Amino acid sequence: MKSIETLSAILATNFVLYVKTQNFHWNVQGPTFMMIHKMLEEQYENLAEANDEIAERIRSLGFLAPGSMKEFLAASLIDESPNDLPAEKMIQILADDHQAMVDKLKELIPVFAESGDDGTADMLTARIQFHQEKVWMLKSHLV
Ligand SMILES: [Fe+2]
């Protein structure tokens, strides 16, 4: 896969995760509602900014950024979820999604660095720290 296609897949995955996080922010139910509702708000705000950052990195490299839901769903590494799941299931799904992003970024960062694209490697290195922290925070709700 060409590096620009890989970066587009990261944008698509980030966008789907952003929508999914906001979906769960709206629809989570149960005694932990307020805690999870607020935690997910912080997360989708970060993901929204990252959508813009990753898309504009693609433009800075001279390519068009994917910008439709159809393209995002086709290229995303994660799937959407229904809105009527138990709170713990929502948290587990999001933890798994952030972990999938961590695994993919670990694989990709050295590829961008070795190809001389340090700007993209640096941006993705910052993103991996965010996703690693979310895996920890989300999983901490499940013990
Ligand atoms: Fe809200």
Side-chain angles (χ1 to χ4, degrees):
M1 192 185 266
K2 284 192 291 185
S3 61
I4 201 65
E5 287 171 17
T6 334
L7 198 51
S8 295
I10 293 297
L11 170 60
T13 306
N14 193 84
F15 205 99
V16 170
L17 185 52
Y18 155 68
V19 171
K20 200 165 168 179
T21 302
Q22 193 157 41
N23 176 5
F24 291 168
H25 161 81
W26 290 328
N27 291 304
V28 67
Q29 296 183 70
T32 56
F33 167 80
M34 191 49 82
M35 191 173 51
I36 294 174
H37 177 75
K38 285 187 173 167
M39 176 178 71
L40 297 186
E41 180 169 344
E42 283 178 22
Q43 296 185 7
Y44 77 66
E45 284 176 353
N46 179 295
L47 291 163
E49 284 178 22
N51 286 331
D52 202 44
E53 187 184 11
I54 301 164
E56 291 181 0
R57 181 70 199 161
I58 292 171
R59 296 294 295 127
S60 299
L61 294 170
F63 297 90
L64 287 175
S68 72
M69 298 308 294
K70 196 172 173 182
E71 286 171 295
F72 291 146
L73 285 171
S76 175
L77 305 170
I78 62 167
D79 294 322
E80 294 192 291
S81 288
N83 61 0
D84 59 351
L85 301 172
E88 283 192 2
K89 181 73 180 161
M90 289 179 172
I91 296 292
Q92 183 64 59
I93 287 171
L94 292 178
D96 291 345
D97 289 347
H98 282 281
Q99 186 62 54
M101 197 67 130
V102 167
D103 295 343
K104 194 66 186 174
L105 291 175
K106 265 189 191 161
E107 178 193 320
L108 292 180
I109 290 166
V111 176
F112 282 103
E114 280 158 26
S115 74
D117 187 354
D118 292 334
T120 301
D122 282 358
M123 179 188 72
L124 297 180
T125 299
R127 292 310 303 158
I128 201 171
Q129 291 175 53
F130 167 78
H131 293 293
Q132 285 168 326
E133 188 187 66
K134 295 320 131 194
V135 170
W136 160 56
M137 284 192 178
L138 289 159
K139 281 191 170 169
S140 297
H141 284 263
L142 298 173
V143 289

